[in-house]
Amino acid sequence: MSLAVEEREMAVVGSGPAGMCAALAAVRAGADVVVLDENERAGGQLTKQIHRFFGSRRHGAGKRGFEIAAELERECRGEGVELRLSSTVLGFFPGGELMVEGEDGVYVLRARAVVMATGASEKSLAFPGWTLPGVMGAGAAQTLVNLHGVLPGRRVLMVGTGNVGLIVSYQLLQAGAEVVGILDISDRVGGYEVHYRRVRREGVPFYLRHRVVEARGEEGVEEVLVEEVGRGRGRVLRADAICLAVGLSPLAELAAMRGCRMVYSRELGGFLPWHDGEMRTDRPGTYVAGDAAGVEEASVAMEEGRMAGISAVEDLGRMRGEEAERARSEVRRFLLELRGGPYGEGKLRAKECLYCA
Amino acid sequence: MAEGERVSGRVERHAVIESFSGGREVVIFVDGAPIAAREGEPVAAALYGAGIRVTRHASKSGEPRGPFCMIGRCTECCMTVDGARNVRACRALVKEGMRVETPGREG
Amino acid sequence: MRVNECESMQGAGGDPWSSAWERAARGPVAVVDCREEIPCNPCEEACARGAIKVGEDICASPRFDPGLCDGCGRCVTLCPGMAVFLLDRSHGKGVARVTVPYEMGGELLEGGEAWAMDEDGNALGTAEIVKVKRTGGRTGTLLVTVEVPEGWALKVRGVRDRLISLEAPEETDAEQRERDYHLCRCEEINVSDVRGQAGWFNSLRALRRYSRAGLGYCQGRFCQDLLRRELAQTLHAGEGEVGAFKVRPPVRPVKLGRLGGEDA
Ligand SMILES: Cc1cc2nc3c(=O)[nH]c(=O)nc-3n(C[C@H](O)[C@H](O)[C@H](O)COP(=O)(O)OP(=O)(O)OC[C@H]3O[C@@H](n4cnc5c(N)ncnc54)[C@H](O)[C@@H]3O)c2cc1C
Ligand code: SF4
Ligand code: SF4
Ligand code: FES
């Protein structure tokens, strides 16, 4: 099998906030950069987010996710980054070549520097009936309502009280669905208090210390039996959809294929490629950034993207050591700020652990 | 679920989103029956919009399955589209007159 | 949810609502009801008068100076947590006006009525909508001002165009009967099979080869985490210790013929 081969200086896999910021940092130093994304729109997670982002105003917080994506995309195009959409990276080989499926077929892209900014994938939860139509990831529900204007159900049960579960519940309400409950095995809400409260004031019941016993229905979910853990008492909720928002894990399949050393971090969502504080993996010319390097938030993804971009152009010989170091120390300062506070602490520690592992 | 009560359906009005992926209204056929769909939206979204949740039946047990990820990764939405088998309905885009078949218990 | 309860940023008592009370007698004033330490600061940027400060440490909770606030409402619009409100007691005795951000699809019109909701989603009653301000285009946030009896003033947190039923269904005995279910959706491998076999293997790769769970169309993308959890539990091991599936190209299903005739 012989495939066409394209040579580029630098390739970025993923056009989310991390990927676009990596590309911007590199193109500003004069590098030739192509960004590949399997999606037909640029922006990654941001394209599906209709809420105003929490985070730092330096990173667009206060604007809606899709607005932040549009701004980054405009900047990328303006600065000469090539955004190649509807292009799926199928493989990343030990020699550093990417196998890409574009609109007209499969080809090989060889780049001297590759940044993996592939984001995260949703975790699942299995219970009797979880294979019934109507049970889906919270991300799938978001795709349906926010991109296509279709309801995943009229009466939805959300599983998971993290920020994703809370925010997607709110979005379902905005689209006109009823959220019949938000359930969590834990006895406290996982996400930010402000997100909890804006869902709660709409009248959505919270079932904490609860689990799904089973989902029932013929051709799809019709009702769900939930149980308070340890009490043996339950409730049958009438629902036609169950959305799973039980966490995200780094989407690191390409890194594993490339032969990067993989490490496990519970705090960061699962297996991810080992990397140093400058976003280099243990393979030459191979960098990682954003949720793929540990699940955090958009502001962090942007800074990690910048960091990866800077390290890449330094290694490509386009930026002198001291200049790169100056740029990186600024990024480091922002990252430290973003990882302050009780929610960031764990991530900060996990990252520091990783850097010296 | 009470008789005649529709699950899923279309968003009627939205305070924050101006437009959705689909274009003009067209007709596609699901197992021979016509449904309204919007040109350019994913087939799986069109099905959900019409209240159809089942996209295939599992090959061993025959249990119904439906879209799970909506981004082309889980393969639960594999249907036969215009004669081509194993097409992911969450990635295939609606074209006027498209014929979609639900893989049956025989797979 | 970790609530930072020890410190008040707005004055005595720590409740931003009660501490806005006096100032509200002179006209609308912001109530910044955000007390957790989260990495967030659009409210600071929103305020041209410098009434809200987060400062260098982005995780600090916002500090608010009612003396500088003129009740313009920009912070109400921009707060992603929808945690800022306006309180106004300058419209006569016995009534108060509360302004809340609104992003639902309901049609709320000036002069009409809306349900005033408390923080737990209970309806306090209906209230007159005295003002609806659209901020920024068709997709902007609405600032909805309702006039309510003074007694509700500290309780209103939201408005709705219609009520939904809050009733949780009656409790029943949860059935103890545990039904079996698939862990691997594609190959239809049951959790009981996996549990039965898990003890024989010390790695996820070996378990996959033998049980065939994770070898289906989706290449284990959806069952890998589930299998790992089961195996780790059986072995009393950490999830990191049982490892991960080996990844082979292509990482996404590819159309027949595109890759030299191999359909993944
Ligand atoms: C519901 C929800 C609400 C959120 N709200 C906030 C918020 O308010 N504030 C905040 O700061 N953060 C928020 N986040 C988190 C934030 O969206 C993510 O942290 C951020 O998007 C991560 O950026 P990224 O660039 O690393 O990855 P992503 O944005 O996930 O982008 C990854 C991209 O890579 C592409 N890709 C993956 N694999 C391949 C491949 N093999 N080939 C080609 N392309 C590929 C994907 O298509 C995708 O476009 C939210 C997340 C969710 C799910
Ligand atoms: S209402 Fe206006 S002046 Fe008052 S804090 Fe908010 S933005 Fe500042
Ligand atoms: S913008 Fe809102 S949620 Fe963010 S810190 Fe300010 S008040 Fe809190
Ligand atoms: S719904 Fe998962 S592949 Fe289509």
Side-chain angles (χ1 to χ4, degrees), chain A residues 194, chain C residues 32 34 38 40-43 54 62 79-81 83-84:
Chain A
V194 289
Chain C
V32 185
C34 170
I38 55 174
C40 188
N41 66 6
C43 51
V54 176
C79 166
V84 188

Side-chain angles (χ1 to χ4, degrees), chain C residues 30 46-47 49 51-52 64 69-75 86:
Chain C
C47 186
R49 300 174 64 90
I52 309 181
F64 176 61
C69 170
D70 69 357
C72 74
R74 255 180 67 76
C75 52
L86 297 178

